[in-house]
Amino acid sequence: MLTLHHAWRSSASRRVRLCLEEKGLAYESRTVDMANLEHHSPEYLKINPNGVVPALIHDGRPLYESGTICEYLDEVFPEPPLRPADAYGRATMRNWIRHADERIGNLIIFNWAHHLAKTASRWSDEELAERLKKIPSKERQEAWIRAARKPYTDEERAAARAKLVEMLGRMEKALSETAWLAGANYSLADIALVPFVKRIEEEIAPDAATAEKHPRVTKWWKSIQARPAFARARIGPFLEETG
Ligand SMILES: N[C@@H](CCC(=O)N[C@@H](CS)C(=O)NCC(=O)O)C(=O)O
């Protein structure tokens, strides 16, 4: 039995949903109300001590970190395989996953501006201080302070955008050498990058996600969106999703 604690708009949650759907696995969906900070509640912290989504419970045992969850799913449910058969391919795949993990903060700058920052800006100083106490990491406390009181500047947004666009360049290069990011087959490396390309294309830098600038990435993106699992994973337009 699989239970996924997630949010529809969360990029890390989207990664795990796509993996589950590619595997054809049924799971119970539990959405986490991030605007009400349900992910900082004592009950949720027992599942994910980092206080972020997603978390997956498999047969009563909790797992967190989207990259770790996806690798776990591929080990436990090996068909269809989503990791390269060779060690070099798997190493390449893990570097893509690490790259995605390292850059996720740049997405948050754009994603939170829409809903979480609006909610947080309405909190009083006392409410903010109370909420910060429940956040387990300094880094995320800082993110909530930024959301509530210090919106990201144009320079910060431009720097984050540049880092995200750079990812497309790195993907373009890889895709000139192999059909998919980690070799000849679709893998967890491709899945890790999907939530990024989705947000870059729809809002963050649509001018960079074009066939003229990144032809191979554009082709890659089209073929991923055509996969039946993509529709089932509900990686829809950010602003049309709630939760
Ligand atoms: N490295 C983590 C990142 C998870 C993460 O950043 N989740 C975001 C949503 S995409 C979150 O829960 N943010 C809420 C918060 O920081 O309070 C993973 O891959 O699972």
Side-chain angles (χ1 to χ4, degrees):
M1 158 99 181
L2 294 162
T3 305
L4 181 67
H5 294 258
H6 67 118
W8 293 112
R9 285 184 276 208
S10 138
S11 294
S13 301
R14 288 174 164 194
R15 188 199 297 194
V16 174
R17 291 204 302 272
L18 190 51
C19 177
L20 285 162
E21 296 297 351
E22 287 288 353
K23 293 269 168 200
L25 294 167
Y27 62 93
E28 189 188 325
S29 159
R30 297 250 184 102
T31 51
V32 175
D33 185 349
M34 293 214 286
N36 279 319
L37 305 179
E38 200 187 322
H39 54 306
H40 301 145
S41 66
E43 300 76 46
Y44 187 79
L45 291 177
K46 275 189 210 142
I47 306 171
N48 183 347
N50 295 333
V52 291
V53 291
L56 181 79
I57 301 186
H58 181 214
D59 291 341
R61 293 196 297 179
L63 289 149
Y64 51 90
E65 276 302 319
S66 58
T68 308
I69 297 173
C70 291
E71 276 214 60
Y72 172 85
L73 288 172
D74 198 56
E75 274 187 48
V76 177
F77 306 99
E79 292 302 324
L82 289 173
R83 286 177 302 169
D86 63 307
Y88 187 82
R90 286 194 298 280
T92 306
M93 175 196 81
R94 291 195 184 106
N95 274 346
W96 278 110
I97 291 172
R98 182 172 290 204
H99 186 53
D101 289 342
E102 283 166 359
R103 301 253 163 147
I104 202 158
N106 298 291
L107 273 188
I108 284 174
I109 289 181
F110 295 94
N111 291 358
W112 286 28
H114 291 294
H115 60 306
L116 296 181
K118 286 197 181 108
T119 305
S121 67
R122 290 194 286 266
W123 298 336
S124 67
D125 288 349
E126 293 71 30
E127 284 169 330
L128 175 61
E130 242 350 271
R131 286 172 176 143
L132 291 176
K133 276 192 222 153
K134 300 195 178 124
I135 302 178
S137 82
K138 268 243 153 301
E139 181 208 3
R140 295 307 172 116
Q141 281 173 359
E142 180 59 26
W144 280 98
I145 293 171
R146 296 298 311 253
R149 294 290 182 269
K150 289 190 273 174
Y152 290 98
T153 62
D154 287 346
E155 289 80 56
E156 285 172 316
R157 288 168 68 87
R161 185 178 293 112
K163 285 228 159 105
L164 294 167
V165 169
E166 199 183 278
M167 293 174 88
L168 299 181
R170 200 185 274 213
M171 292 172 71
E172 187 69 23
K173 183 167 178 300
L175 294 170
S176 73
E177 286 153 18
T178 50
W180 296 93
L181 291 177
N185 299 306
Y186 179 68
S187 79
L188 296 180
D190 303 289
I191 288 178
L193 272 293
V194 162
F196 285 83
V197 175
K198 173 74 186 165
R199 294 293 292 130
I200 293 170
E201 186 212 37
E202 91 185 320
E203 180 193 343
I204 299 168
D207 54 323
T210 61
E212 291 72 43
K213 297 219 173 113
H214 295 101
R216 293 184 180 89
V217 176
T218 308
K219 191 165 158 258
W220 171 95
W221 181 222
K222 272 207 182 105
S223 51
I224 289 182
Q225 289 176 96
R227 297 173 76 88
F230 183 85
R232 291 197 303 266
R234 208 174 127 180
I235 302 174
F238 193 81
L239 293 178
E240 286 175 22
E241 293 288 1
T242 47

